[in-house]
Amino acid sequence: MKEFFRLWAEHDKFGYMGKIGFICGVFALVITVLLALPQFIKVVKERKTGKNVNFTSFWIFNSGLLLWIVFAGFMPGGLVPPLVANLASVLLYSVMIFFLYFYKEWENKEAKRKGLIIVGAILTLKGIFAIILSALWLTDQSVNVQILDNGIVDRTNAILPVITQEWLQIAMGVIIPIFTAVAFIPQIIEGFKRKSFQGVSLVFSLAALVMNVLWWMYWFAFGLGQSFSVVSILTLSWQTVSIAIFLINFAGSLIYSEKSIQQAA
């Protein structure tokens, strides 16, 4: 709670846009954390993975969430909302991906057993990495990093380095958002190709769209606070692309779910 009010105070100095950005960040954080639940519930409830589910999209998105943790943790000052949200989301999303494989059609039981072992191992390693990185960052912020009386940040005892090179910040700002921005292009192509989006939860598609809009507003407010640095502009640009992609995904889900209902009637 103390950290919450500290962050509110930091955003408050940017005026009403800072407050709006902070509120959007909080809601975006919650949706990001819970994003995997609709798809997870759908798969477990139906006990099958739709044939039109594109696993590539889910893997790219999961990797993108992990990279956002890296981005948030190594940037100067740290970005608390993205780091916390993406840590929880990586873990929940990994569980959801595992069940997507668990309920997919396999050639035989042996193939399923080996496949689940490999998938489980990869997801576990990614989860462990995310937890360790986040724990180290939180340790630095709460214990190792000191703010001196003159306002200078003393990182002498910090475990994790901070990326201060502008070119590297820009590179991360360009590369990392690509993963979450374009992740569902393969799924969209698969959906329109098969004329079916039934394998993907409609609630998931809507939540992903709303989440991206809220993160866009958060990054816009964050950009205002930094007078729109190159990194914030790049991140905001990719967030815009992501909104467009998830809007297409949601539209496809609506169109073909509506057609399915009409055909069933």
Side-chain angles (χ1 to χ4, degrees):
M1 186 60 69
K2 182 179 179 181
E3 181 69 11
F4 177 88
F5 286 112
R6 184 187 70 79
L7 290 171
W8 173 263
E10 287 185 3
H11 286 75
D12 187 50
K13 64 185 179 182
F14 301 126
Y16 74 94
M17 280 303 299
K19 294 178 180 179
I20 292 175
F22 179 79
I23 294 172
C24 289
V26 171
F27 280 104
L29 185 150
V30 174
I31 296 177
T32 301
V33 171
L34 301 178
L35 182 61
L37 286 182
Q39 186 66 30
F40 174 74
I41 293 173
K42 176 181 175 63
V43 172
V44 173
K45 183 179 179 180
E46 296 179 355
R47 293 184 177 275
K48 67 176 181 178
T49 300
K51 293 182 178 180
N52 66 318
V53 169
N54 189 291
F55 288 93
T56 301
S57 286
F58 287 94
W59 277 108
I60 294 175
F61 193 76
N62 181 257
S63 299
L65 294 174
L66 184 61
L67 288 173
W68 272 112
I69 296 176
V70 176
F71 182 78
F74 286 96
M75 290 294 287
L79 302 172
V80 179
L83 187 141
V84 174
N86 288 301
L87 170 61
S89 189
V90 162
L91 299 178
L92 290 174
Y93 211 82
S94 295
V95 174
M96 184 268 290
I97 289 178
F98 181 82
F99 275 91
L100 282 177
Y101 278 93
F102 185 83
Y103 287 116
K104 76 182 288 288
E105 293 183 5
W106 294 84
E107 295 180 2
N108 51 63
K109 291 184 178 180
E110 182 62 18
K112 180 177 182 178
R113 185 183 68 83
K114 291 181 179 179
L116 291 179
I117 290 176
I118 294 173
V119 170
I122 295 173
L123 293 173
T124 299
L125 289 174
K126 293 177 74 172
I128 292 174
F129 175 77
I131 292 173
I132 292 176
L133 181 60
S134 300
L136 291 176
W137 183 86
L138 291 172
T139 300
D140 278 346
Q141 296 300 310
S142 59
V143 179
N144 298 331
V145 176
Q146 303 293 328
I147 300 178
L148 305 180
D149 294 336
N150 56 7
I152 297 177
V153 178
D154 181 11
R155 298 187 57 86
T156 304
N157 298 320
I159 302 172
L160 297 177
V162 169
I163 297 175
T164 56
Q165 298 90 340
E166 185 177 2
W167 69 269
L168 189 52
Q169 292 180 8
I170 294 174
M172 293 178 68
V174 171
I175 297 172
I176 292 178
I178 292 177
F179 283 80
T180 49
V182 306
F184 276 84
I185 289 181
Q187 180 62 61
I188 292 172
I189 294 174
E190 186 76 19
F192 280 107
K193 182 179 179 181
R194 291 178 176 268
K195 296 184 178 181
S196 173
F197 282 74
Q198 292 182 345
V200 180
S201 167
L202 183 62
V203 178
F204 170 85
S205 299
L206 176 60
L209 176 60
V210 174
M211 175 195 71
N212 276 279
V213 172
L214 290 172
W215 277 125
W216 187 96
M217 297 177 70
Y218 170 81
W219 284 110
F220 182 80
F222 183 79
L224 285 178
Q226 292 190 332
S227 299
F228 284 104
S229 64
V230 176
V231 174
S232 61
I233 292 174
L234 289 171
T235 305
L236 196 58
S237 299
W238 275 115
Q239 202 70 62
T240 304
V241 173
S242 186
I243 290 174
I245 291 173
F246 277 101
L247 181 60
I248 295 173
N249 181 67
F250 180 64
S253 299
L254 280 179
I255 292 171
Y256 286 109
S257 63
E258 182 67 24
K259 285 185 177 181
S260 298
I261 293 174
Q262 291 177 354
Q263 290 174 358

